mmCIF file of all heavy atoms in Angstrom:
data_model
loop_
_atom_site.group_PDB
_atom_site.id
_atom_site.type_symbol
_atom_site.label_atom_id
_atom_site.label_comp_id
_atom_site.label_asym_id
_atom_site.label_seq_id
_atom_site.Cartn_x
_atom_site.Cartn_y
_atom_site.Cartn_z
ATOM 1 N N MET A 755 -2.402 -63.872 16.654
ATOM 2 C CA MET A 755 -3.677 -63.236 16.400
ATOM 3 C C MET A 755 -4.760 -64.292 16.178
ATOM 4 O O MET A 755 -4.538 -65.285 15.497
ATOM 5 C CB MET A 755 -3.613 -62.321 15.186
ATOM 6 C CG MET A 755 -4.927 -61.493 14.958
ATOM 7 S SD MET A 755 -4.929 -60.641 13.372
ATOM 8 C CE MET A 755 -3.692 -59.425 13.608
ATOM 9 N N HIS A 756 -5.903 -64.096 16.774
ATOM 10 C CA HIS A 756 -7.076 -64.922 16.653
ATOM 11 C C HIS A 756 -8.235 -64.168 17.297
ATOM 12 O O HIS A 756 -7.998 -63.125 17.854
ATOM 13 C CB HIS A 756 -6.849 -66.290 17.303
ATOM 14 C CG HIS A 756 -6.167 -66.183 18.664
ATOM 15 N ND1 HIS A 756 -6.818 -65.686 19.825
ATOM 16 C CD2 HIS A 756 -4.879 -66.514 19.031
ATOM 17 C CE1 HIS A 756 -5.965 -65.741 20.825
ATOM 18 N NE2 HIS A 756 -4.756 -66.216 20.399
ATOM 19 N N PRO A 757 -9.448 -64.627 17.202
ATOM 20 C CA PRO A 757 -10.591 -63.824 17.779
ATOM 21 C C PRO A 757 -10.420 -63.657 19.341
ATOM 22 O O PRO A 757 -11.055 -62.749 19.829
ATOM 23 C CB PRO A 757 -11.821 -64.674 17.412
ATOM 24 C CG PRO A 757 -11.453 -65.336 16.179
ATOM 25 C CD PRO A 757 -9.970 -65.705 16.346
ATOM 26 N N GLY A 758 -9.616 -64.500 19.983
ATOM 27 C CA GLY A 758 -9.378 -64.280 21.403
ATOM 28 C C GLY A 758 -8.259 -63.337 21.686
ATOM 29 O O GLY A 758 -8.031 -62.997 22.870
ATOM 30 N N TRP A 759 -7.528 -62.909 20.675
ATOM 31 C CA TRP A 759 -6.459 -61.900 20.844
ATOM 32 C C TRP A 759 -6.297 -61.209 19.481
ATOM 33 O O TRP A 759 -5.482 -61.660 18.653
ATOM 34 C CB TRP A 759 -5.139 -62.457 21.339
ATOM 35 C CG TRP A 759 -4.073 -61.472 21.422
ATOM 36 C CD1 TRP A 759 -2.920 -61.425 20.690
ATOM 37 C CD2 TRP A 759 -3.984 -60.334 22.299
ATOM 38 N NE1 TRP A 759 -2.152 -60.321 21.014
ATOM 39 C CE2 TRP A 759 -2.790 -59.626 22.022
ATOM 40 C CE3 TRP A 759 -4.840 -59.874 23.307
ATOM 41 C CZ2 TRP A 759 -2.446 -58.500 22.719
ATOM 42 C CZ3 TRP A 759 -4.509 -58.704 23.971
ATOM 43 C CH2 TRP A 759 -3.305 -58.028 23.677
ATOM 44 N N ARG A 760 -7.075 -60.216 19.235
ATOM 45 C CA ARG A 760 -7.084 -59.573 17.939
ATOM 46 C C ARG A 760 -5.865 -58.677 17.692
ATOM 47 O O ARG A 760 -5.623 -58.223 16.572
ATOM 48 C CB ARG A 760 -8.396 -58.770 17.751
ATOM 49 C CG ARG A 760 -9.624 -59.704 17.687
ATOM 50 C CD ARG A 760 -10.894 -58.911 17.387
ATOM 51 N NE ARG A 760 -11.274 -57.998 18.457
ATOM 52 C CZ ARG A 760 -11.966 -58.339 19.559
ATOM 53 N NH1 ARG A 760 -12.329 -59.599 19.707
ATOM 54 N NH2 ARG A 760 -12.270 -57.480 20.444
ATOM 55 N N ASN A 761 -5.167 -58.356 18.785
ATOM 56 C CA ASN A 761 -3.942 -57.592 18.663
ATOM 57 C C ASN A 761 -4.078 -56.326 17.858
ATOM 58 O O ASN A 761 -3.256 -55.995 16.941
ATOM 59 C CB ASN A 761 -2.834 -58.502 18.055
ATOM 60 C CG ASN A 761 -1.421 -58.242 18.589
ATOM 61 O OD1 ASN A 761 -1.187 -57.205 19.250
ATOM 62 N ND2 ASN A 761 -0.535 -59.132 18.324
ATOM 63 N N GLU A 762 -5.112 -55.594 18.155
ATOM 64 C CA GLU A 762 -5.589 -54.556 17.310
ATOM 65 C C GLU A 762 -4.632 -53.353 17.165
ATOM 66 O O GLU A 762 -4.407 -52.794 16.083
ATOM 67 C CB GLU A 762 -6.968 -54.049 17.738
ATOM 68 C CG GLU A 762 -8.081 -55.050 17.412
ATOM 69 C CD GLU A 762 -9.435 -54.761 18.036
ATOM 70 O OE1 GLU A 762 -9.455 -53.923 18.965
ATOM 71 O OE2 GLU A 762 -10.404 -55.330 17.572
ATOM 72 N N PHE A 765 -1.873 -54.493 14.886
ATOM 73 C CA PHE A 765 -2.469 -54.699 13.594
ATOM 74 C C PHE A 765 -2.620 -53.372 12.855
ATOM 75 O O PHE A 765 -2.293 -53.182 11.671
ATOM 76 C CB PHE A 765 -3.746 -55.395 13.691
ATOM 77 C CG PHE A 765 -4.360 -55.883 12.381
ATOM 78 C CD1 PHE A 765 -3.578 -56.374 11.395
ATOM 79 C CD2 PHE A 765 -5.746 -55.785 12.175
ATOM 80 C CE1 PHE A 765 -4.109 -56.831 10.168
ATOM 81 C CE2 PHE A 765 -6.303 -56.245 10.971
ATOM 82 C CZ PHE A 765 -5.460 -56.763 9.980
ATOM 83 N N GLU A 766 -3.133 -52.358 13.552
ATOM 84 C CA GLU A 766 -3.340 -51.037 12.948
ATOM 85 C C GLU A 766 -2.023 -50.390 12.565
ATOM 86 O O GLU A 766 -1.901 -49.702 11.575
ATOM 87 C CB GLU A 766 -4.123 -50.153 13.891
ATOM 88 C CG GLU A 766 -5.563 -50.573 14.051
ATOM 89 C CD GLU A 766 -6.348 -50.601 12.715
ATOM 90 O OE1 GLU A 766 -6.140 -49.638 11.895
ATOM 91 O OE2 GLU A 766 -7.070 -51.499 12.438
ATOM 92 N N LYS A 769 -0.917 -51.958 9.316
ATOM 93 C CA LYS A 769 -1.736 -51.432 8.195
ATOM 94 C C LYS A 769 -1.297 -50.010 7.847
ATOM 95 O O LYS A 769 -1.208 -49.729 6.634
ATOM 96 C CB LYS A 769 -3.227 -51.476 8.549
ATOM 97 C CG LYS A 769 -3.783 -52.888 8.542
ATOM 98 C CD LYS A 769 -5.276 -52.885 8.493
ATOM 99 C CE LYS A 769 -5.888 -52.396 9.742
ATOM 100 N NZ LYS A 769 -7.374 -52.511 9.731
ATOM 101 N N LEU A 788 -10.431 -71.823 21.619
ATOM 102 C CA LEU A 788 -11.392 -71.169 20.653
ATOM 103 C C LEU A 788 -12.232 -72.160 19.900
ATOM 104 O O LEU A 788 -13.307 -71.841 19.417
ATOM 105 C CB LEU A 788 -10.611 -70.288 19.700
ATOM 106 C CG LEU A 788 -10.018 -69.007 20.294
ATOM 107 C CD1 LEU A 788 -9.142 -68.313 19.216
ATOM 108 C CD2 LEU A 788 -11.098 -68.037 20.738
ATOM 109 N N HIS A 791 -15.338 -72.392 21.615
ATOM 110 C CA HIS A 791 -15.970 -71.097 22.024
ATOM 111 C C HIS A 791 -17.362 -71.063 21.423
ATOM 112 O O HIS A 791 -17.544 -71.367 20.246
ATOM 113 C CB HIS A 791 -15.133 -69.924 21.572
ATOM 114 C CG HIS A 791 -15.564 -68.616 22.159
ATOM 115 N ND1 HIS A 791 -16.694 -67.960 21.760
ATOM 116 C CD2 HIS A 791 -15.027 -67.901 23.146
ATOM 117 C CE1 HIS A 791 -16.824 -66.853 22.472
ATOM 118 N NE2 HIS A 791 -15.822 -66.757 23.349
ATOM 119 N N VAL A 793 -19.311 -68.738 20.280
ATOM 120 C CA VAL A 793 -19.459 -67.899 19.040
ATOM 121 C C VAL A 793 -18.830 -68.636 17.853
ATOM 122 O O VAL A 793 -19.438 -68.682 16.771
ATOM 123 C CB VAL A 793 -18.814 -66.505 19.230
ATOM 124 C CG1 VAL A 793 -18.905 -65.748 17.959
ATOM 125 C CG2 VAL A 793 -19.520 -65.761 20.387
ATOM 126 N N VAL A 794 -17.693 -69.183 18.073
ATOM 127 C CA VAL A 794 -17.055 -69.976 16.948
ATOM 128 C C VAL A 794 -17.889 -71.151 16.559
ATOM 129 O O VAL A 794 -18.116 -71.443 15.332
ATOM 130 C CB VAL A 794 -15.642 -70.405 17.374
ATOM 131 C CG1 VAL A 794 -14.974 -71.215 16.253
ATOM 132 C CG2 VAL A 794 -14.738 -69.179 17.681
ATOM 133 N N ARG A 796 -21.144 -71.490 16.939
ATOM 134 C CA ARG A 796 -22.328 -71.098 16.248
ATOM 135 C C ARG A 796 -22.073 -70.715 14.757
ATOM 136 O O ARG A 796 -22.811 -71.109 13.911
ATOM 137 C CB ARG A 796 -22.913 -69.875 16.972
ATOM 138 C CG ARG A 796 -24.188 -69.299 16.302
ATOM 139 C CD ARG A 796 -24.733 -68.078 17.028
ATOM 140 N NE ARG A 796 -23.817 -66.981 17.059
ATOM 141 C CZ ARG A 796 -23.587 -66.193 15.973
ATOM 142 N NH1 ARG A 796 -24.155 -66.408 14.825
ATOM 143 N NH2 ARG A 796 -22.755 -65.174 16.092
ATOM 144 N N VAL A 797 -21.001 -69.985 14.570
ATOM 145 C CA VAL A 797 -20.665 -69.577 13.143
ATOM 146 C C VAL A 797 -20.317 -70.869 12.357
ATOM 147 O O VAL A 797 -20.766 -71.005 11.202
ATOM 148 C CB VAL A 797 -19.452 -68.625 13.119
ATOM 149 C CG1 VAL A 797 -19.017 -68.360 11.683
ATOM 150 C CG2 VAL A 797 -19.845 -67.274 13.831
ATOM 151 N N VAL A 808 -13.205 -72.250 10.307
ATOM 152 C CA VAL A 808 -13.705 -70.932 10.514
ATOM 153 C C VAL A 808 -12.619 -69.985 11.043
ATOM 154 O O VAL A 808 -12.511 -68.847 10.587
ATOM 155 C CB VAL A 808 -14.920 -70.976 11.481
ATOM 156 C CG1 VAL A 808 -15.266 -69.578 12.005
ATOM 157 C CG2 VAL A 808 -16.105 -71.610 10.839
ATOM 158 N N LEU A 809 -11.802 -70.475 11.946
ATOM 159 C CA LEU A 809 -10.765 -69.645 12.510
ATOM 160 C C LEU A 809 -9.675 -69.280 11.471
ATOM 161 O O LEU A 809 -9.182 -68.179 11.449
ATOM 162 C CB LEU A 809 -10.132 -70.305 13.770
ATOM 163 C CG LEU A 809 -11.081 -70.452 14.957
ATOM 164 C CD1 LEU A 809 -10.509 -71.415 15.981
ATOM 165 C CD2 LEU A 809 -11.331 -69.053 15.587
ATOM 166 N N ARG A 811 -10.202 -69.197 8.256
ATOM 167 C CA ARG A 811 -10.861 -68.273 7.304
ATOM 168 C C ARG A 811 -11.003 -66.897 7.869
ATOM 169 O O ARG A 811 -10.822 -65.886 7.149
ATOM 170 C CB ARG A 811 -12.242 -68.824 6.953
ATOM 171 C CG ARG A 811 -13.020 -67.987 5.969
ATOM 172 C CD ARG A 811 -12.420 -67.956 4.575
ATOM 173 N NE ARG A 811 -12.724 -66.735 3.861
ATOM 174 C CZ ARG A 811 -12.254 -66.460 2.639
ATOM 175 N NH1 ARG A 811 -11.530 -67.335 1.967
ATOM 176 N NH2 ARG A 811 -12.601 -65.278 2.043
ATOM 177 N N TRP A 812 -11.239 -66.747 9.146
ATOM 178 C CA TRP A 812 -11.326 -65.440 9.841
ATOM 179 C C TRP A 812 -9.992 -64.693 9.640
ATOM 180 O O TRP A 812 -10.013 -63.531 9.301
ATOM 181 C CB TRP A 812 -11.624 -65.626 11.299
ATOM 182 C CG TRP A 812 -11.700 -64.335 12.102
ATOM 183 C CD1 TRP A 812 -12.797 -63.524 12.234
ATOM 184 C CD2 TRP A 812 -10.646 -63.690 12.786
ATOM 185 N NE1 TRP A 812 -12.516 -62.448 12.976
ATOM 186 C CE2 TRP A 812 -11.209 -62.519 13.366
ATOM 187 C CE3 TRP A 812 -9.341 -64.038 13.093
ATOM 188 C CZ2 TRP A 812 -10.433 -61.678 14.150
ATOM 189 C CZ3 TRP A 812 -8.540 -63.143 13.861
ATOM 190 C CH2 TRP A 812 -9.148 -62.002 14.361
ATOM 191 N N ALA A 813 -8.892 -65.367 9.854
ATOM 192 C CA ALA A 813 -7.605 -64.716 9.681
ATOM 193 C C ALA A 813 -7.405 -64.187 8.260
ATOM 194 O O ALA A 813 -6.979 -63.033 8.037
ATOM 195 C CB ALA A 813 -6.466 -65.693 10.066
ATOM 196 N N ILE A 814 -7.720 -64.995 7.281
ATOM 197 C CA ILE A 814 -7.570 -64.603 5.882
ATOM 198 C C ILE A 814 -8.516 -63.500 5.520
ATOM 199 O O ILE A 814 -8.105 -62.509 4.846
ATOM 200 C CB ILE A 814 -7.792 -65.851 4.969
ATOM 201 C CG1 ILE A 814 -6.646 -66.861 5.198
ATOM 202 C CG2 ILE A 814 -7.800 -65.445 3.478
ATOM 203 C CD1 ILE A 814 -6.861 -68.157 4.534
ATOM 204 N N GLN A 815 -9.771 -63.639 5.969
ATOM 205 C CA GLN A 815 -10.767 -62.547 5.672
ATOM 206 C C GLN A 815 -10.340 -61.239 6.329
ATOM 207 O O GLN A 815 -10.741 -60.187 5.828
ATOM 208 C CB GLN A 815 -12.125 -63.052 6.130
ATOM 209 C CG GLN A 815 -13.227 -62.797 5.123
ATOM 210 C CD GLN A 815 -14.462 -63.585 5.417
ATOM 211 O OE1 GLN A 815 -14.488 -64.845 5.339
ATOM 212 N NE2 GLN A 815 -15.584 -62.896 5.745
ATOM 213 N N ARG A 816 -9.598 -61.260 7.335
ATOM 214 C CA ARG A 816 -9.133 -60.069 8.020
ATOM 215 C C ARG A 816 -8.013 -59.356 7.229
ATOM 216 O O ARG A 816 -7.583 -58.288 7.574
ATOM 217 C CB ARG A 816 -8.723 -60.370 9.451
ATOM 218 C CG ARG A 816 -8.832 -59.150 10.409
ATOM 219 C CD ARG A 816 -8.491 -59.508 11.798
ATOM 220 N NE ARG A 816 -8.830 -58.415 12.690
ATOM 221 C CZ ARG A 816 -8.156 -58.057 13.778
ATOM 222 N NH1 ARG A 816 -7.116 -58.784 14.145
ATOM 223 N NH2 ARG A 816 -8.515 -57.028 14.493
ATOM 224 N N GLY A 817 -7.462 -60.093 6.276
ATOM 225 C CA GLY A 817 -6.379 -59.560 5.426
ATOM 226 C C GLY A 817 -5.040 -60.003 5.823
ATOM 227 O O GLY A 817 -3.969 -59.369 5.483
ATOM 228 N N ILE A 841 -17.054 -66.238 5.435
ATOM 229 C CA ILE A 841 -17.823 -65.994 6.616
ATOM 230 C C ILE A 841 -18.692 -64.775 6.373
ATOM 231 O O ILE A 841 -18.226 -63.723 5.978
ATOM 232 C CB ILE A 841 -16.967 -65.759 7.870
ATOM 233 C CG1 ILE A 841 -15.997 -66.934 8.103
ATOM 234 C CG2 ILE A 841 -17.843 -65.535 9.115
ATOM 235 C CD1 ILE A 841 -14.973 -66.701 9.191
ATOM 236 N N PRO A 842 -20.033 -64.932 6.503
ATOM 237 C CA PRO A 842 -20.912 -63.770 6.312
ATOM 238 C C PRO A 842 -20.515 -62.577 7.165
ATOM 239 O O PRO A 842 -20.015 -62.777 8.269
ATOM 240 C CB PRO A 842 -22.308 -64.314 6.675
ATOM 241 C CG PRO A 842 -22.208 -65.796 6.446
ATOM 242 C CD PRO A 842 -20.770 -66.184 6.799
ATOM 243 N N LYS A 843 -20.776 -61.367 6.642
ATOM 244 C CA LYS A 843 -20.339 -60.172 7.329
ATOM 245 C C LYS A 843 -20.753 -60.108 8.784
ATOM 246 O O LYS A 843 -19.939 -59.761 9.657
ATOM 247 C CB LYS A 843 -20.841 -58.948 6.557
ATOM 248 C CG LYS A 843 -20.351 -57.620 7.133
ATOM 249 C CD LYS A 843 -20.858 -56.487 6.265
ATOM 250 C CE LYS A 843 -20.366 -55.120 6.777
ATOM 251 N NZ LYS A 843 -20.817 -53.971 5.965
ATOM 252 N N HIS A 844 -22.014 -60.414 9.062
ATOM 253 C CA HIS A 844 -22.513 -60.374 10.447
ATOM 254 C C HIS A 844 -21.757 -61.338 11.346
ATOM 255 O O HIS A 844 -21.457 -61.038 12.451
ATOM 256 C CB HIS A 844 -23.988 -60.668 10.430
ATOM 257 C CG HIS A 844 -24.591 -60.716 11.834
ATOM 258 N ND1 HIS A 844 -24.937 -59.539 12.540
ATOM 259 C CD2 HIS A 844 -25.020 -61.731 12.622
ATOM 260 C CE1 HIS A 844 -25.407 -59.878 13.720
ATOM 261 N NE2 HIS A 844 -25.478 -61.214 13.775
ATOM 262 N N ASP A 845 -21.501 -62.506 10.863
ATOM 263 C CA ASP A 845 -20.863 -63.527 11.669
ATOM 264 C C ASP A 845 -19.376 -63.206 11.837
ATOM 265 O O ASP A 845 -18.792 -63.479 12.928
ATOM 266 C CB ASP A 845 -21.046 -64.898 11.057
ATOM 267 C CG ASP A 845 -22.520 -65.279 10.959
ATOM 268 O OD1 ASP A 845 -23.133 -65.359 12.026
ATOM 269 O OD2 ASP A 845 -23.020 -65.421 9.805
ATOM 270 N N PHE A 846 -18.737 -62.648 10.765
ATOM 271 C CA PHE A 846 -17.378 -62.251 10.868
ATOM 272 C C PHE A 846 -17.227 -61.179 11.996
ATOM 273 O O PHE A 846 -16.325 -61.250 12.832
ATOM 274 C CB PHE A 846 -16.903 -61.649 9.559
ATOM 275 C CG PHE A 846 -15.456 -61.186 9.589
ATOM 276 C CD1 PHE A 846 -14.391 -62.017 9.438
ATOM 277 C CD2 PHE A 846 -15.199 -59.835 9.759
ATOM 278 C CE1 PHE A 846 -13.092 -61.594 9.472
ATOM 279 C CE2 PHE A 846 -13.905 -59.351 9.755
ATOM 280 C CZ PHE A 846 -12.856 -60.227 9.609
ATOM 281 N N GLN A 847 -18.211 -60.257 12.013
ATOM 282 C CA GLN A 847 -18.162 -59.197 13.057
ATOM 283 C C GLN A 847 -18.353 -59.770 14.435
ATOM 284 O O GLN A 847 -17.762 -59.316 15.419
ATOM 285 C CB GLN A 847 -19.213 -58.118 12.735
ATOM 286 C CG GLN A 847 -19.092 -56.919 13.602
ATOM 287 C CD GLN A 847 -17.731 -56.245 13.494
ATOM 288 O OE1 GLN A 847 -17.270 -55.977 12.353
ATOM 289 N NE2 GLN A 847 -17.093 -55.928 14.629
ATOM 290 N N ALA A 848 -19.208 -60.784 14.536
ATOM 291 C CA ALA A 848 -19.419 -61.469 15.860
ATOM 292 C C ALA A 848 -18.124 -62.082 16.353
ATOM 293 O O ALA A 848 -17.833 -61.986 17.549
ATOM 294 C CB ALA A 848 -20.519 -62.548 15.719
ATOM 295 N N LEU A 849 -17.381 -62.646 15.440
ATOM 296 C CA LEU A 849 -16.040 -63.181 15.890
ATOM 297 C C LEU A 849 -15.126 -62.058 16.292
ATOM 298 O O LEU A 849 -14.310 -62.142 17.199
ATOM 299 C CB LEU A 849 -15.423 -63.962 14.754
ATOM 300 C CG LEU A 849 -16.162 -65.291 14.354
ATOM 301 C CD1 LEU A 849 -15.642 -65.816 13.020
ATOM 302 C CD2 LEU A 849 -16.018 -66.303 15.456
ATOM 303 N N CYS A 850 -15.209 -60.921 15.632
ATOM 304 C CA CYS A 850 -14.345 -59.777 15.939
ATOM 305 C C CYS A 850 -14.824 -59.081 17.270
ATOM 306 O O CYS A 850 -14.069 -58.284 17.800
ATOM 307 C CB CYS A 850 -14.449 -58.706 14.813
ATOM 308 S SG CYS A 850 -13.643 -59.214 13.308
ATOM 309 N N ASP A 851 -15.998 -59.422 17.709
ATOM 310 C CA ASP A 851 -16.495 -58.779 18.911
ATOM 311 C C ASP A 851 -16.453 -59.602 20.161
ATOM 312 O O ASP A 851 -16.982 -59.282 21.246
ATOM 313 C CB ASP A 851 -17.974 -58.385 18.722
ATOM 314 C CG ASP A 851 -18.123 -57.245 17.748
ATOM 315 O OD1 ASP A 851 -17.145 -56.503 17.492
ATOM 316 O OD2 ASP A 851 -19.234 -57.096 17.187
ATOM 317 N N ILE A 852 -15.800 -60.793 20.070
ATOM 318 C CA ILE A 852 -15.602 -61.640 21.307
ATOM 319 C C ILE A 852 -14.887 -60.802 22.354
ATOM 320 O O ILE A 852 -13.811 -60.330 22.123
ATOM 321 C CB ILE A 852 -14.794 -62.908 20.961
ATOM 322 C CG1 ILE A 852 -15.655 -63.860 20.123
ATOM 323 C CG2 ILE A 852 -14.353 -63.616 22.221
ATOM 324 C CD1 ILE A 852 -14.947 -65.099 19.617
ATOM 325 N N PRO A 853 -15.514 -60.629 23.502
ATOM 326 C CA PRO A 853 -14.994 -59.648 24.475
ATOM 327 C C PRO A 853 -13.696 -60.073 25.205
ATOM 328 O O PRO A 853 -12.899 -59.194 25.529
ATOM 329 C CB PRO A 853 -16.128 -59.432 25.470
ATOM 330 C CG PRO A 853 -16.938 -60.730 25.382
ATOM 331 C CD PRO A 853 -16.818 -61.212 23.905
ATOM 332 N N ASP A 854 -13.586 -61.334 25.560
ATOM 333 C CA ASP A 854 -12.439 -61.807 26.355
ATOM 334 C C ASP A 854 -11.178 -61.816 25.478
ATOM 335 O O ASP A 854 -11.082 -62.651 24.552
ATOM 336 C CB ASP A 854 -12.705 -63.180 26.957
ATOM 337 C CG ASP A 854 -13.908 -63.141 27.892
ATOM 338 O OD1 ASP A 854 -14.088 -62.089 28.525
ATOM 339 O OD2 ASP A 854 -14.615 -64.174 27.996
ATOM 340 N N GLN A 855 -10.229 -60.951 25.772
ATOM 341 C CA GLN A 855 -8.993 -60.873 24.968
ATOM 342 C C GLN A 855 -7.795 -61.098 25.815
ATOM 343 O O GLN A 855 -7.635 -60.481 26.915
ATOM 344 C CB GLN A 855 -8.896 -59.455 24.337
ATOM 345 C CG GLN A 855 -10.002 -59.152 23.293
ATOM 346 C CD GLN A 855 -9.814 -59.952 22.005
ATOM 347 O OE1 GLN A 855 -8.802 -59.809 21.339
ATOM 348 N NE2 GLN A 855 -10.799 -60.811 21.675
#
Side-chain angles (χ1 to χ4, degrees):
M755 186 190 289
H756 42 72
W759 178 247
R760 293 185 294 276
N761 213 345
E762 288 171 343
F765 188 40
E766 289 302 317
K769 287 196 289 186
L788 288 174
H791 191 284
V793 176
V794 176
R796 178 182 62 76
V797 174
V808 166
L809 291 167
R811 181 66 207 180
W812 179 86
I814 294 170
Q815 224 164 294
R816 206 175 189 214
I841 302 170
K843 184 176 180 180
H844 176 78
D845 299 298
F846 179 83
Q847 190 58 49
L849 292 168
C850 292
D851 290 340
I852 290 176
D854 298 328
Q855 295 289 298

